Amino acid sequence: MIAHALFFYFFSVIAIVSAIFVIVSRNTVHAVFFLILDFISIACLFIMIGAEFLGMMMLIVYVGAVAVLFLFVVMLMNVTEQKSSWFRGTKKSNHIPTGLIVGSVILLELIVIVGGWKYRDTFSETKFLSFDKEFTNTHAIGNVMYTEYIHLFQISGIILLLAMIGAIVLTFRKREGVKTQSYFKQVSREREDSVELVDVEFDKGVKFDD
Amino acid sequence: MLAIKFLIPEIFLSISIFSLLMIGVFIKNSFEIIYRLSLFVIILIILIILSGDSESIKIFSESFTIDRFSLYSKILILISTFFVLLMSKKYIVDIKNNKFEYPIIILLSILGMFIMVSSNDLILFYMGLELQSLALYILASIDRDNIKSSEAGVKYFVLSALSSGLLLYGCSLIYGFTGSTNFEEIANSKDFNVGTIFGMVFILVGLAFKVSAVPFHMWTPDVYQGSPTSVTSFFSVVPKAAGIAIFIKFMYLPFRDVLNQWQYILVFMSIASMILGAVAAIGQTNIKRLMAYSSIGHIGYAIAGIAAGTENGFKSTLIYISIYIVMNIGAFACILLMKRDGKYVEEIEELSGVSKNHPMMSFGLLIILFSLAGIPPLAGFFAKFYIFMAVIESEMYTLAIIGLVTTVLSAFYYIRIIKIMYFDEPKKPFEKFVDYKIHGPIVLSCVLLVSFFIYPSILNEIVSNISIF
């Protein structure tokens, strides 16, 4: 048990500290790396509570795809020149006190709630999710994903499709005057199209029409 | 397998979206075809819904409800989308935004709204909400070369994503404290403690943002002004109907037993929205911005009906939002007519003396503006009348009095436009064109608004059959 607690605190401290560093670090590349560290430690926490599927998904999706994408974007932008000007406020912002007040009020309210927190001892029965020790939770998710929650699964697909359409609508531009390769044209070119056999009469030369 | 037949509208809509997408990809310059086909699809879905039976049933492990309430909302959404799409065609072509994706994104957003108004489960509700708002972000910035449109898109995206986050946080709290994501089971879990209430407040914040109720209205004027007018007319009508429908559902289904907790929040939102809508619109010079503030005010009245907490309360809200849709479609059709020298103008000053050159258009706008101001015997008056009836029935006199006062206040800026149209110096006339797609909705809207008082109970009868429980 102690080892479990130790690992829990180890990963949580890393998660919290790196989350703070994501915000405060001035170098965007560092911020992204801290974000990745944050994701990894959260994935470890997921695995520790026995949700190995969520943990692995976290690694694959967030660390593997999203964070690397972030890194790409950050590296493509010209960060080194602008990083100092981005993060240095031009004038003193007067939003900070207001934000602090609102934030601390919400924090106090949350403390009130967490103080009165009582986990429900019986989560109302979800008919389809069995809390069977025999099943791994990948198996359990697989059981319901395509049966009881098929509509949610399909709708997520439509949301992704819409995201794709949106990205294309907002960024795709038809360029004029670009010479693109047409495989079909290249392959379907016949010998007759481009080779002309001319009988050249002696001492007359060749006369082309154009 | 039997359950599938209740899903036919949604399935048909999704399949037609995919087919339209394929047509658009493979046929060049296919805006015209896609546009017509999507209008046709909308009509077909209206027919499918009307021809189906309206028994109430819950499918997909009780996460998807089909009942009169959801069917009514869906038809409202479809009809308003139809007219918005119909009248915005000329505008879209004129600003060279005739991409074939435009109608498809609108169809996708109605698919999201369908899922949202039918949902009986927090997860499904959230997915529908995300589908519709993702479509709205894209629509807001669809005129991507216009810096204002891009700004509107980014602003809407950032703020709306924040509010979705808050909403999701509320959902997670509610799941943690009640142990279920199903609306019925949330309502049946008897111990509503402070955590659940806190979650409910977060959900209220998210919903209020989506319908742009004060104090979560900040995005509305900028987004309305920045987006292309065709998109603004969509924003001001269709998501409002869906948002109010899901608002009603949340308040009357999962949280019906904690009426005393949410009633004051809604009363506050309603009063604040009515006052802000009335006061802030006075100084506006841009007509789209003015319509944004006007819609904030109208949402205030709609929420007043929900805040009444009675059956009559939400029915009056449904009537209100239906009439609001009719008025706003007419108003935006008139705004779409404001074209001079090949450019669309948006300043209210441009309307000065328009009655000399365009008597019919200005008469139509006159009727619509009078109705928006709530002047009897137009439909806008009846809408407000039902709301105030419901509010007074539940003995919330302060709300009713403030509502009446703000009605008078807001009449000022509606009538100011009429004064500018009729009594100011005429300017150069707008471009004259007759397009039944724009004039049709104006005429229809005016006829409906004027003739509503002859037989007002027709809408009442439809709405009175609706129940959520």
Side-chain angles (χ1 to χ4, degrees):
Chain A
M1 264 336 259
I2 289 179
H4 194 272
L6 275 180
F7 273 113
F8 172 75
Y9 285 116
F10 179 68
F11 288 127
S12 340
V13 167
I14 293 181
I16 294 171
V17 169
S18 52
I20 292 172
F21 270 102
V22 172
I23 304 169
V24 298
S25 104
R26 293 214 159 187
N27 188 330
T28 334
V29 180
H30 292 179
V32 176
F33 276 116
F34 276 115
L35 192 67
I36 296 176
L37 184 61
D38 196 21
F39 286 148
I40 292 177
S41 42
I42 288 170
C44 294
L45 287 177
F46 268 128
I47 293 171
M48 280 181 62
I49 59 168
E52 79 280 348
F53 183 74
L54 280 182
M56 290 302 157
M57 278 329 250
M58 192 92 189
L59 281 183
I60 295 171
V61 176
Y62 280 99
V63 181
V66 176
V68 173
L69 213 64
F70 272 158
L71 210 55
F72 255 114
V73 172
V74 167
M75 286 178 168
L76 285 177
M77 291 188 300
N78 203 353
V79 182
T80 41
E81 276 175 24
Q82 292 173 321
K83 71 179 175 199
S84 43
S85 63
W86 277 0
F87 293 104
R88 195 176 300 137
T90 44
K91 57 170 188 261
K92 271 213 157 178
S93 162
N94 48 4
H95 298 304
I96 293 176
T98 331
L100 275 181
I101 290 170
V102 173
S104 46
V105 166
I106 291 181
L107 185 71
L108 286 178
E109 285 173 348
L110 278 177
I111 289 171
V112 170
I113 290 171
V114 174
W117 181 280
K118 190 168 100 296
Y119 276 112
R120 279 181 65 90
D121 36 3
T122 50
F123 266 67
S124 67
E125 238 170 78
T126 39
K127 284 160 239 163
F128 325 103
L129 275 178
S130 53
F131 293 105
D132 196 346
K133 289 270 185 216
E134 301 282 297
F135 275 151
T136 63
N137 61 63
T138 319
H139 198 143
I141 291 173
N143 267 346
V144 290
M145 177 81 107
Y146 301 107
T147 53
E148 295 305 329
Y149 295 126
I150 181 68
H151 55 311
L152 299 175
F153 185 72
Q154 298 282 0
I155 295 163
S156 334
I158 296 178
I159 294 177
L160 291 179
L161 172 77
L162 173 63
M164 204 164 75
I165 300 174
I168 294 172
V169 172
L170 295 183
T171 56
F172 179 72
R173 279 166 206 278
K174 199 162 227 142
R175 292 202 204 149
E176 299 297 332
V178 181
K179 294 197 168 94
T180 47
Q181 198 176 11
S182 166
Y183 308 111
F184 185 73
K185 252 186 188 168
Q186 284 183 346
V187 174
S188 59
R189 218 165 103 134
E190 295 284 330
R191 185 165 176 271
E192 287 77 41
D193 294 342
S194 41
V195 179
E196 193 182 349
L197 289 179
V198 185
D199 269 335
V200 183
E201 286 180 50
F202 178 71
D203 211 15
K204 287 276 175 63
V206 184
K207 193 179 176 199
F208 289 106
D209 292 338
D210 42 1
Chain B
M1 198 57 214
L2 273 174
I4 287 293
K5 84 168 191 221
F6 298 102
L7 270 181
I8 288 177
E10 281 81 7
I11 293 178
F12 180 75
L13 182 54
S14 339
I15 292 177
S16 32
I17 288 168
F18 302 145
S19 342
L20 288 182
L21 208 52
M22 282 299 114
I23 296 174
V25 169
F26 285 108
I27 300 178
K28 286 224 161 61
N29 299 327
S30 48
F31 174 75
E32 190 71 35
I33 308 169
I34 301 282
Y35 168 80
R36 279 160 201 247
L37 280 176
S38 27
L39 288 180
F40 182 62
V41 164
I42 292 173
I43 293 174
L44 274 185
I45 298 172
I46 295 177
L47 293 180
I48 290 173
I49 289 179
L50 286 179
S51 64
D53 42 1
S54 55
E55 58 181 307
S56 106
I57 189 167
K58 292 190 174 68
I59 54 177
F60 280 129
S61 53
E62 303 208 335
S63 71
F64 198 94
T65 352
I66 290 120
D67 54 3
R68 282 174 188 273
F69 177 74
S70 67
L71 292 181
Y72 181 79
S73 321
K74 282 176 190 172
I75 290 190
L76 210 58
I77 291 167
L78 284 169
I79 293 178
S80 46
T81 313
F82 179 79
F83 283 110
V84 168
L85 208 52
L86 190 71
M87 72 199 191
S88 56
K89 182 185 172 204
K90 185 170 158 35
Y91 181 84
I92 300 170
V93 175
D94 280 349
I95 64 165
K96 299 197 176 54
N97 229 323
N98 45 353
K99 304 174 183 137
F100 75 89
E101 289 96 342
Y102 185 96
I104 293 177
I105 294 172
I106 283 191
L107 287 184
L108 275 163
S109 84
I110 11 182
L111 180 64
M113 291 170 204
F114 271 29
I115 293 161
M116 200 165 85
V117 295
S118 290
S119 62
N120 195 35
D121 184 283
L122 289 175
I123 305 174
L124 191 64
F125 154 71
Y126 185 71
M127 304 216 76
L129 185 78
E130 276 309 284
L131 184 54
Q132 73 122 11
S133 20
L134 191 54
L136 297 185
Y137 310 147
I138 301 167
L139 282 178
S141 48
I142 194 138
D143 190 10
R144 60 185 183 186
D145 295 324
N146 181 342
I147 192 154
K148 279 202 163 167
S149 172
S150 316
E151 185 204 328
V154 170
K155 202 170 251 174
Y156 187 40
F157 172 66
V158 171
L159 292 175
S160 184
L162 183 70
S163 83
S164 294
L166 289 179
L167 194 144
L168 204 56
Y169 183 54
C171 294
S172 76
L173 279 177
I174 284 181
Y175 177 61
F177 279 98
T178 62
S180 174
T181 57
N182 192 294
F183 286 177
E184 279 296 325
E185 284 176 40
I186 292 171
N188 291 335
S189 73
K190 284 293 164 235
D191 44 0
F192 261 78
N193 49 14
V194 66
T196 325
I197 303 299
F198 205 70
M200 183 194 79
V201 172
F202 272 112
I203 290 184
L204 269 179
V205 170
L207 288 175
F209 181 90
K210 301 294 174 196
V211 295
S212 74
V214 177
F216 308 101
H217 64 282
M218 274 75 149
W219 58 278
T220 326
D222 291 340
V223 172
Y224 275 41
Q225 190 186 0
S227 332
T229 311
S230 57
V231 176
T232 311
S233 57
F234 184 75
F235 271 21
S236 78
V237 170
V238 189
K240 291 276 152 66
I244 284 292
I246 192 67
F247 211 124
I248 293 172
K249 197 157 183 173
F250 255 106
M251 295 302 111
Y252 284 78
L253 202 57
F255 304 132
R256 62 183 172 221
D257 293 334
V258 281
L259 172 74
N260 54 350
Q261 301 282 350
W262 54 257
Q263 197 162 31
Y264 289 105
I265 305 176
L266 287 201
V267 168
F268 167 73
M269 272 185 199
S270 159
I271 290 177
S273 310
M274 291 189 294
I275 292 176
L276 187 111
V279 175
I282 292 174
Q284 300 305 323
T285 54
N286 183 303
I287 193 152
K288 275 156 80 179
R289 223 174 157 78
L290 184 129
M291 289 308 289
Y293 282 107
S294 136
S295 84
I296 292 174
H298 283 284
I299 287 300
Y301 294 103
I303 290 179
I306 307 177
T310 52
E311 185 128 339
N312 280 339
F314 88 79
K315 282 174 182 164
S316 67
T317 299
L318 280 181
I319 296 176
Y320 192 88
I321 206 76
S322 319
I323 294 174
Y324 165 79
I325 283 173
V326 176
M327 298 188 291
N328 253 32
I329 286 178
F332 272 98
C334 291
I335 295 174
L336 286 170
L337 285 177
M338 290 165 61
K339 186 186 185 193
R340 180 179 290 146
D341 303 333
K343 275 176 80 178
Y344 285 92
V345 290
E346 292 169 3
E347 297 301 308
I348 296 174
E349 287 306 312
E350 306 285 345
L351 279 170
S352 123
V354 80
S355 62
K356 307 282 185 306
N357 296 315
H358 304 272
M360 290 313 285
M361 171 202 162
S362 44
F363 186 65
L365 195 52
L366 172 103
I367 290 173
I368 291 159
L369 288 174
F370 271 138
S371 176
L372 279 167
I375 288 167
L378 299 166
F381 165 76
F382 285 93
K384 288 199 169 71
F385 174 74
Y386 291 130
I387 292 278
F388 290 133
M389 284 282 282
V391 168
I392 287 169
E393 261 175 35
S394 32
E395 296 180 341
M396 290 145 73
Y397 299 114
T398 331
L399 182 58
I401 290 167
I402 293 179
L404 287 172
V405 171
T406 52
T407 311
V408 178
L409 276 179
S410 61
F412 168 74
Y413 60 81
Y414 293 123
I415 292 174
R416 188 174 73 109
I417 302 178
I418 296 172
K419 174 236 163 201
I420 289 173
M421 286 195 310
Y422 276 86
F423 302 111
D424 281 10
E425 280 302 302
K427 284 198 170 184
K428 209 176 141 196
F430 293 133
E431 270 179 32
K432 284 207 161 98
F433 55 86
V434 176
D435 185 356
Y436 74 96
K437 286 183 182 129
I438 302 180
H439 291 90
I442 300 179
V443 172
L444 192 67
S445 150
C446 291
V447 168
L448 283 177
L449 293 178
V450 171
S451 60
F452 185 76
F453 79 98
I454 301 170
Y455 192 43
S457 53
I458 186 161
L459 198 55
N460 274 344
E461 274 165 23
I462 300 171
V463 171
S464 64
N465 288 326
I466 294 172
S467 71
I468 301 184
F469 313 110

